[in-house]
Amino acid sequence: MTALNIGIIGVGNIGSLHASYLTAGEIPHAKLVAIADIDPARLTAATARFGALTCYDSAAALIADPAIDAVIIATPHYFHPLIAAEALAAGKHVLSEKPAGVYTQAVQRTLDVAAQHPELTYALMYNQRMNPAYQKARALVQDGTLGELRRTNWIITDWYRSQSYYNSGGWRATWAGEGGGVLLNQDPHQLDLWQWICGMPSRVMGFTYNGKRRDVEVETEATAYVEYENGATGVFVTTTTETPGTNRFEIVGSRGKLVIEDQRLRLWLNAQDEADFNRTYQGGFGQPDCREVPVDTVFDGDSGHQKIVKNFVSHILDGAPLMSPAAEGLRGLSISNAIYLSSWEHRWVDLPIDGAAFLTALNQRRATSKYDAAAGFSGQVLDTKGSY
Ligand SMILES: NC(=O)c1ccc[n+]([C@@H]2O[C@H](COP(=O)([O-])OP(=O)(O)OC[C@H]3O[C@@H](n4cnc5c(N)ncnc54)[C@H](O)[C@@H]3O)[C@@H](O)[C@H]2O)c1
C-alpha cells in the first residue's frame, strides 16, 4: 500500500478541522474519501465546504465501505471505543480523538479487539505530544537529568469556556451525553502528558466541583493530589471558568527543576544531587549551588493535529514509530476516572483503577442525567482553528 483512503466519522468542530487539512492535501499519502455523521445537516455543510465526498449516515455504513483503509473518529467520547472496535473488527486502521473513552472497561474491550488485529494501527489524537517542550521534558526526566522525581504540579486553568460553549451541543457537559466535564473534555491532553513525562501515580485523592459557575451537571473545576510509588507527590489543578488562566507545569527532581509555562521550558540544575548534599553538608542553612541551564527547545505554535495524522499514516505505510498508541490512552483516562471516583466517594483511589467500581458510580450519575438523546448531538459547529 502506498497511500491511505481515510474516512472521518463525526464532522462537527474537530472533524471539520481534520477534513480541512486532509482535503487541502496537507497530509502526504492520505486522501479523505468519505465522511459519516448521524446529523444530515452536518454532512451537507461538510460537502459544501470540502467538496464531493462519499457521505454516510452512520459510522457502520462508512466502516462497511471497502474503499476505506483508515478512519478518524471525531464523535462525542462515549462512541470512541465502540466505533473503534467496530472499525478494527472490519479491518480498518483507527485514529481516535481523545479521550480514548469515558471509562476504562470500554477502552480495554477495544484494546482486546485491537490485539486480535496486530496488522492494524489503533492510535489517539494526543496532538500535544508533538509539542517540542513536552518532548524535551520527557527526555530530561527519562534520561535522569532531573534525578529522582520529587514533585509534579500542573495548574491548567487556561481552557476558558463560557456558558455559550456548553450550550453549543446537547451532549456537552452531561453525564449521559459526555460522561464528564473539564477532566474528560479539555484535560485528557494534560493528564496524558503528565503520565507520559512523569510516569503513573500509585494513588489519587480528588476534589471535583459540579456546575460551579456554569449551568452544567458535570465538573467545571477539579483538584487532584497524587502519590507516586517512590514517594514523590503531585498536584493537578484545573477549571474552565478562570480568566486570565494559567498553564504552568513544574517538575522537581533531586537534581533540579523544570517549568513549562507560556510555551517555554526553563531548566535549573543543582551542582549536586539533593540527597548527596543533604548526606554530607554540615553548614546548617546552605543548599546546593544551582544554575539555570539554557534549553534549545522552541515551540512553533503548531497544534500538532496534522503531525499526529502524518505520524499515523507513515507508521502504517512505512513503519515509523507511533507517537500515540491507543493502549497508552488507558493511563490518562485511569487518572481521570480515579479523580472522579475519589471525589465522589471521599477516599483515596489506588491505581490501576478498579474499572467496575468506577463504572458503577458513573452509571448512577448517567441515570439521573438531564441529557436528552432524542434531542441529538447537533448544535453549532464552532471554529477550532488555533485551539490547542
Ligand atoms: N484533539 C483536539 O484538539 C480536540 C479538539 C476538539 C474536540 N476533540 C474531541 O473530538 C470529539 C468531538 O468533539 P467536537 O467538539 O467536534 O464535537 P461536535 O459535537 O462539534 O461534533 C461531533 C459530531 O459527531 C456527530 N456524531 C455524534 N454521534 C455520532 C455517531 N454515533 N456516529 C457518527 N457521528 C456522530 C455529531 O452529529 C457531530 O456532528 C470529542 O471527543 C472531543 O473530545 C478533540
Side-chain angles (χ1 to χ4, degrees), residues 64-141:
D65 182 342
I68 307 282
D69 302 308
V71 298
I72 296 178
I73 302 172
T75 62
H77 330 312
Y78 274 112
F79 296 106
H80 295 174
L82 305 179
I83 295 174
E86 217 178 315
L88 290 162
K92 315 292 183 191
H93 302 281
V94 172
L95 175 56
S96 169
E97 265 301 346
K98 43 54 64 172
V102 174
Y103 52 95
T104 56
Q105 285 190 336
V107 177
Q108 188 55 59
R109 274 197 293 274
T110 304
L111 289 170
D112 293 344
V113 176
Q116 292 163 19
H117 296 275
E119 75 286 6
L120 296 174
T121 298
Y122 177 22
L124 293 177
M125 181 57 77
Y126 277 141
N127 44 299
Q128 299 209 20
R129 284 191 180 196
M130 305 312 264
N131 182 327
Y134 297 125
Q135 293 182 355
K136 184 71 181 179
R138 184 168 192 255
L140 290 167
V141 171

Side-chain angles (χ1 to χ4, degrees), residues 242-305:
E242 196 171 291
T243 183
T246 297
N247 184 354
R248 180 184 170 90
F249 185 24
E250 181 170 316
I251 307 171
V252 181
S254 57
R255 290 183 175 275
K257 169 175 91 168
L258 76 77
V259 174
I260 300 175
E261 190 168 18
D262 300 328
Q263 303 297 356
R264 177 172 172 224
L265 188 155
R266 295 183 68 188
L267 175 69
W268 292 263
L269 291 179
N270 295 329
Q272 200 181 0
D273 188 289
E274 187 282 328
D276 295 337
F277 177 87
N278 182 53
R279 202 175 303 115
T280 53
Y281 183 69
Q282 298 299 322
F285 280 119
Q287 67 188 79
D289 289 336
C290 177
R291 70 191 165 96
E292 183 169 357
V293 180
V295 181
D296 59 347
T297 298
V298 179
F299 177 61
D300 55 9
D302 189 301
S303 70
H305 296 106

